[in-house]
Amino acid sequence: MASAPQALDPTGAVARVQTLLNRYLVGILKAEGLPHSGIKVGMQQRIIGRIQTYARENNAQGFNRLKNMIFNPDSLLSPTGPRLGHGGRVTPVGSGRPAGSAPQNSGAPVTHVLGSLSFKESPFFTILKPLTPLIECPTMTSHRHSATTHLQFPPPDIEKLASDKTVRAMVFCAVESALGGYTKAEIAFPHQVELKVNNDEVKANLRGLKNRPGSTRPADITDLVHRKPKYENTITLTYALTQKKFSFLVNLVKVHPVEELVGKLRRGKVITREQAIKEMVSKAQDADLVATSTVMSLKCPLSTLRMELPCRSTVCPHIQCFDATSFLQLQEQAPTWTCPICSKIINFEALVVDQYVNDILQSTPKSVDQVTIEPDGKWSQNALPISPERTSGSQLQNGDDDDIIEIQDIRLTSLKSEYASTPASGPKTPSIDSREPSVSRSSASKRPVIDLTLSDDDGSPPRPAKRIVTSNGLTNNTLERRNGYRANTSSSRLNGLSFQMPPSNSRSNPSSIGTPDR
């Protein structure tokens, strides 16, 4: 008969002993019949020496018994004294031997020595079996601490993980207050936590919402573990600044994707159209309420997109629904399980499809975002508001140009200033604001320039200035250059027309005389 010394490796147990508190060390020493007084280092050395002795002597029964106590020290603190050994046999606390024959070595310790940790059911996964014992994380208010467990996959579990992608290995953690035998625990990790598998950090959101146990999901470590027979994976949870005790373990679970749950809702219970109308009519007949028409949105309040499968909880009093896929995707990431409309606590079993709202979605085009619901259950499609762009466009197409008023800036631009060659002490041309609507005077040899910048008719908007072309095809500027001078002309508008005044031989004010071009 070949022995299996490789199964009796005390390395993991030795490392675990160095992290235990004094009360756990005392309990282990009492169970092994060893002296349990002295300093902490001395107690650790006695336990390490005992498990190394079991390993050298190939004492599988004693080795596994001591290793289970090291990895499950809470079993030693039972108020009644006895604890559970392998197979549920009672072992007195002070005795190192089980009361009866012990079973043969079963490999890695994956059974719970005292009770088990029961988590709340989730529609996203089903726990198949625990893979590691329950590891305690004691309170650490001022420094860091690491808790370690070891995982070996038996051949059947390796085959499941290889053949079914929905079977995963996940780390579950919970607060000590939820570890009672009559309550189910919520998944909650310490706020400052780091999870490593074989020294590889797990990239997952383990915090969840602060002070909200159950608002996070278990950590999937399937892709980080080595799925080989007799290979010992090391899972380390490092945390700090905790006010409560935590415990964690690794479970083998079957994952249910969102698409599977949406299909389950489609095939499940529904609120029929008649039930929804009856509910609305019943509310309208309440003597204390005045029933009026209401506007119901066809958009999901979570994704702000048009709903595809409208659902709501049976505990909610409103008819407004939310999209099933969007809601379940959100709960998969942060499971708060609150109604996005009325904030009531709901669960997956209470979700049903509203056939009344679903019929409205099927009967309206995808561009419709809301409908009007009457108290008797009748609904009508809301008309889209007419935008100003659509209104002006339709008016232009109908030819109603007389009703369109175009408002523009009618302030005139400044007149061109001419640099005069006269002395600086000569009279200057007054500004536009100081001018009166009158005819400007020029010298006897120059034509007057009539200023029409201020018009009595303010009803017509200004138009761009036009260039005046004579019958021989010459512009006014060309004619001025041929005459040897440039008159101080100005453009003005009268009833929407542009005037360019020609030179005149009448008498005018010398101050407005133009200078000849040189």
Side-chain angles (χ1 to χ4, degrees):
M1 237 177 138
S3 60
Q6 67 277 8
L8 304 180
D9 183 10
T11 304
V14 170
R16 172 64 175 169
V17 168
Q18 296 175 353
T19 64
L20 295 179
L21 300 178
N22 285 344
R23 63 176 182 271
Y24 297 134
L25 298 176
V26 172
I28 295 174
L29 291 172
K30 287 182 179 180
E32 288 294 318
L34 297 174
H36 55 274
S37 61
I39 62 176
K40 184 175 182 179
V41 176
M43 291 188 291
Q44 291 174 345
Q45 292 298 329
R46 286 192 287 272
I47 297 174
I48 292 173
R50 175 58 63 91
I51 196 169
Q52 289 176 346
T53 300
Y54 286 150
R56 287 194 304 268
E57 296 175 355
N58 291 330
N59 186 350
Q61 178 180 341
F63 181 86
N64 289 327
R65 182 186 69 251
L66 180 56
K67 190 173 183 179
N68 279 329
M69 286 190 292
I70 293 173
F71 282 98
N72 298 273
D74 283 331
S75 61
L76 305 172
L77 303 180
S78 174
T80 56
R83 60 182 175 86
L84 295 180
H86 289 288
R89 292 175 173 83
V90 177
T91 303
V93 174
S95 171
R97 306 298 177 192
S101 60
Q104 297 296 325
N105 180 24
S106 57
V110 296
T111 58
H112 294 285
V113 176
L114 180 62
S116 61
L117 183 59
S118 179
F119 287 88
K120 278 190 175 182
E121 291 81 6
S122 172
F124 299 107
F125 56 81
T126 302
I127 299 177
L128 302 179
K129 58 179 290 190
L131 296 176
T132 63
L134 190 64
I135 305 302
E136 184 192 57
C137 302
T139 303
M140 293 292 161
T141 58
S142 59
H143 58 276
R144 293 165 58 91
H145 183 72
S146 296
T148 304
T149 186
H150 300 276
L151 170 63
Q152 291 183 3
F153 288 100
D157 295 341
I158 296 176
E159 294 178 2
K160 283 184 180 180
L161 292 169
S163 59
D164 191 354
K165 297 300 181 181
T166 61
V167 176
R168 315 292 290 178
M170 292 187 172
V171 177
F172 288 68
C173 186
V175 186
E176 182 191 35
S177 59
L179 301 183
Y182 300 99
T183 59
K184 294 188 176 181
E186 298 269 13
I187 298 176
F189 288 84
H191 189 65
Q192 297 188 16
V193 64
E194 182 183 62
L195 182 63
K196 289 186 177 182
V197 177
N198 300 324
N199 291 327
D200 293 330
E201 185 177 356
V202 179
K203 303 295 184 180
N205 182 18
L206 304 178
R207 290 189 176 185
L209 301 178
K210 192 173 183 180
N211 299 325
R212 286 289 299 274
S215 60
T216 187
R217 55 186 300 184
D220 191 347
I221 62 172
T222 309
D223 299 331
L224 297 177
V225 295
H226 296 281
R227 289 166 281 179
K228 299 178 181 179
K230 298 183 180 181
Y231 187 91
E232 190 174 70
N233 296 277
T234 302
I235 295 96
T236 304
L237 185 73
T238 304
Y239 62 98
L241 306 179
T242 57
Q243 303 295 331
K244 299 178 181 179
K245 289 201 306 182
F246 289 81
S247 296
F248 78 97
L249 77 163
V250 182
N251 285 326
L252 188 69
V253 303
K254 182 175 179 60
V255 176
H256 306 291
V258 173
E259 294 77 11
E260 178 183 337
L261 299 180
V262 172
K264 187 177 180 180
L265 284 177
R266 291 183 185 273
R267 299 186 300 268
K269 297 183 296 182
V270 299
I271 297 179
T272 62
R273 184 175 183 274
E274 292 74 16
Q275 289 176 338
I277 295 176
K278 183 179 179 181
E279 180 181 347
M280 288 186 287
V281 172
S282 176
K283 291 180 181 179
Q285 293 176 351
D286 192 345
D288 297 333
L289 299 176
V290 178
T292 59
S293 61
T294 58
V295 177
M296 184 181 68
S297 175
L298 301 182
K299 288 184 176 182
C300 176
L302 299 173
S303 64
T304 68
L305 300 176
R306 184 179 165 96
M307 293 181 288
E308 295 183 0
L309 184 64
C311 69
R312 58 187 173 103
S313 175
T314 55
V315 301
C316 297
H318 50 78
I319 195 174
Q320 179 67 51
C321 297
F322 47 86
D323 185 65
T325 302
S326 301
F327 178 75
L328 292 176
Q329 286 176 348
L330 179 63
Q331 299 308 310
E332 185 182 22
Q333 300 299 324
T336 58
W337 291 105
T338 56
C339 176
I341 299 168
C342 64
S343 300
K344 283 189 175 182
I345 301 298
I346 60 178
N347 52 41
F348 179 76
E349 289 72 18
L351 293 180
V352 291
V353 177
D354 194 318
Q355 199 65 44
Y356 175 77
V357 180
N358 193 43
D359 291 345
I360 295 177
L361 290 170
Q362 300 299 326
S363 304
T364 55
K366 293 187 179 298
S367 59
V368 176
D369 294 334
Q370 59 185 13
V371 294
T372 301
I373 306 295
E374 302 296 336
D376 57 356
K378 295 181 180 180
W379 63 273
S380 60
Q381 179 176 332
N382 291 348
L384 293 177
I386 300 177
S387 60
E389 293 79 4
R390 295 178 57 189
T391 304
S392 60
S394 61
Q395 289 178 350
L396 290 176
Q397 292 176 0
N398 295 334
D400 298 334
D401 297 341
D402 295 337
D403 297 334
I404 302 176
I405 299 175
E406 184 178 1
I407 300 175
Q408 296 182 354
D409 189 2
I410 61 175
R411 292 176 298 176
L412 298 176
T413 58
S414 60
L415 299 176
K416 297 181 179 179
S417 60
E418 297 293 342
Y419 291 97
S421 59
T422 57
S425 60
K428 298 182 180 180
T429 303
S431 62
I432 297 176
D433 298 333
S434 63
R435 293 182 184 179
E436 295 294 333
S438 61
V439 179
S440 301
R441 297 180 180 179
S442 61
S443 63
S445 61
K446 300 299 178 181
R447 301 284 184 178
V449 177
I450 300 176
D451 190 357
L452 299 179
T453 57
L454 297 177
S455 175
D456 294 334
D457 190 357
D458 297 332
S460 61
R463 295 186 180 179
K466 297 182 180 179
R467 300 176 63 189
I468 300 177
V469 182
T470 60
S471 59
N472 56 4
L474 299 177
T475 63
N476 189 43
N477 293 336
T478 306
L479 290 175
E480 291 174 355
R481 292 191 181 93
R482 285 188 177 184
N483 293 333
Y485 69 93
R486 175 179 299 173
N488 187 10
T489 61
S490 61
S491 300
S492 64
R493 304 181 185 277
L494 181 61
N495 294 333
L497 299 178
S498 177
F499 288 90
Q500 188 79 19
M501 302 305 299
S504 175
N505 294 326
S506 61
R507 299 174 61 184
S508 61
N509 190 346
S511 63
S512 61
I513 297 176
T515 59
D517 295 334
R518 292 181 182 179

